[in-house]
Amino acid sequence: MASSPSRLLAALATRRLVCDGGMGTQLMLAGLEQGASGEAWNLTHPERVLEIQKRYVDAGADCIITNTFGGSRLMLQRHGVADDVVAINQAAVRIAREAFGDKEGFVLGDIGPLGAILEPYGDLPFDTAVEVITEQAKALVDAGVDAIILETQTGKEEIQAGLAGAKAAGAPCIICSFAYDLSADKTFYKTMMGFGPEDAAEFCEENGADIIALNCGTGMDMPGAASVAEIYQDTVDLPVMIQPNAGLPVLENMKAVYKQPPEETAAKVPDALEAGASIIGSCCGSTPDHTRAIRAQVDVWNATH
């Protein structure tokens, strides 16, 4: 567990919070070219990143996730900007903090998958993974994040490396977020590496996580997120965070497109809150309008509970 008291955990003891929504699609809409580094924009186009995050704050987000999902040295080297790893991550924290203006808000430092499979299944040594994650986490922590969020995780080895790296960097709070896929018969969720919600939650609690979460995944809409939140609640004593997609994707021109309108996504928020979700955001296909609709439901809950 984090050694110093966490602002985020203190807030969760008193109310449910709202997190922001999709970032990748928003960056594309702002002009990011397919295949380019959205993280590099923290240095080259900070005003565009700020504009997106301000819209989420205006829509009612209590938590903003930094624009650093692919901000590790391993991911940045694909774009030739690995030497800017510290600058990119620290700029992201400043931008997210600025988006809140004088409002109280929580900045969650985002660390996504490393883009390589760890030994024994792949070629990336565990120690190298820890080193790479520690470097990114330290840049985020030094810039003042309220938590580190290890996002879109699928396997035990990488989440273990993530927890070790976040702890080594002195993270005030660590969130472990998994991407689950719905089984073909639509009866259960598992990660790509075969990790179920019970196993994931137990493993993260045993290894010092502060919050257990989910984001993204095939078939992960708000009702699905509510069902996994309930499993989390039944399995461990950690607060739960969910970031489901804007409904289920439809295929258009060979691309997955999410079309669920905000009010439809938000209609199932009470179920997710009832299931124990303490922080609710959204993922693929979501916009500030989805955040606004989720905010309205969470406000009703906070006022009546």
Side-chain angles (χ1 to χ4, degrees):
M1 287 293 241
S3 54
S4 57
S6 152
R7 280 179 69 236
L8 181 59
L9 293 176
L12 290 179
T14 64
R15 64 191 191 279
R16 308 292 176 97
L17 300 177
V18 174
C19 194
D20 59 7
M23 191 65 182
T25 43
Q26 297 295 307
L27 289 168
M28 296 280 187
L29 289 171
L32 181 70
E33 288 176 19
Q34 188 83 38
S37 169
E39 292 77 17
W41 268 28
N42 297 332
L43 298 180
T44 59
H45 297 84
E47 71 293 338
R48 295 193 199 178
V49 179
L50 178 61
E51 189 50 46
I52 293 166
Q53 294 186 325
K54 266 187 170 163
R55 285 202 292 272
Y56 279 118
V57 170
D58 291 344
D62 300 299
C63 304
I64 293 289
I65 295 176
T66 57
N67 180 37
T68 55
F69 181 78
S72 68
R73 177 173 291 276
L74 283 183
M75 294 296 279
L76 293 175
Q77 71 189 14
R78 299 176 178 194
H79 303 282
V81 290
D83 290 346
D84 293 329
V85 59
V86 173
I88 283 171
N89 281 277
Q90 297 202 332
V93 180
R94 285 195 298 274
I95 294 165
R97 193 64 77 192
E98 192 183 332
F100 282 114
D102 47 18
K103 288 182 186 169
E104 190 205 8
F106 303 94
V107 174
L108 314 183
D110 198 10
I111 299 180
L114 297 175
I117 296 175
L118 273 69
E119 293 175 343
Y121 307 104
D123 299 331
L124 183 66
F126 182 81
D127 290 350
T128 305
V130 173
E131 209 176 286
V132 167
I133 292 166
T134 303
E135 177 183 42
Q136 186 184 2
K138 188 171 178 350
L140 293 165
V141 170
D142 288 353
V145 294
D146 295 293
I148 291 290
I149 180 166
L150 304 164
E151 255 196 333
T152 321
Q153 296 295 312
T154 58
K156 188 183 284 189
E157 290 74 25
E158 190 162 343
I159 199 74
Q160 194 167 13
L163 281 157
K167 279 189 212 168
C173 177
I174 306 172
I175 304 167
C176 292
S177 188
F178 291 85
Y180 297 104
D181 302 323
L182 185 58
S183 62
D185 65 358
K186 298 186 167 36
T187 58
F188 64 90
Y189 283 96
K190 277 258 198 302
T191 71
M192 186 178 72
M193 303 295 278
F195 224 19
E198 299 95 337
D199 294 338
E202 278 175 0
F203 185 79
C204 290
E205 186 176 51
E206 283 164 13
N207 285 275
D210 296 290
I211 296 171
I212 183 74
L214 66 88
N215 70 288
C216 205
T218 311
M220 185 52 79
D221 55 3
M222 192 66 76
S227 68
V228 173
E230 195 163 357
I231 294 170
Y232 279 166
Q233 276 282 282
D234 291 344
T235 309
V236 293
D237 286 329
L238 302 177
V240 173
M241 174 178 179
I242 61 169
Q243 299 177 85
N245 299 326
L248 303 177
V250 292
L251 210 57
E252 282 185 359
N253 303 320
M254 299 309 290
K255 277 179 78 173
V257 183
Y258 295 84
K259 291 186 153 184
Q260 190 173 61
E263 56 281 4
E264 220 172 283
T265 300
K268 296 297 181 185
V269 165
D271 294 353
L273 292 164
E274 195 65 55
S278 292
I279 306 174
I280 301 189
S282 47
C283 205
C284 301
S286 65
T287 67
D289 288 335
H290 289 80
T291 304
R292 192 171 285 107
I294 291 167
R295 172 86 262 166
Q297 295 279 10
V298 172
D299 282 345
V300 170
W301 176 276
N302 281 336
T304 55
H305 287 75

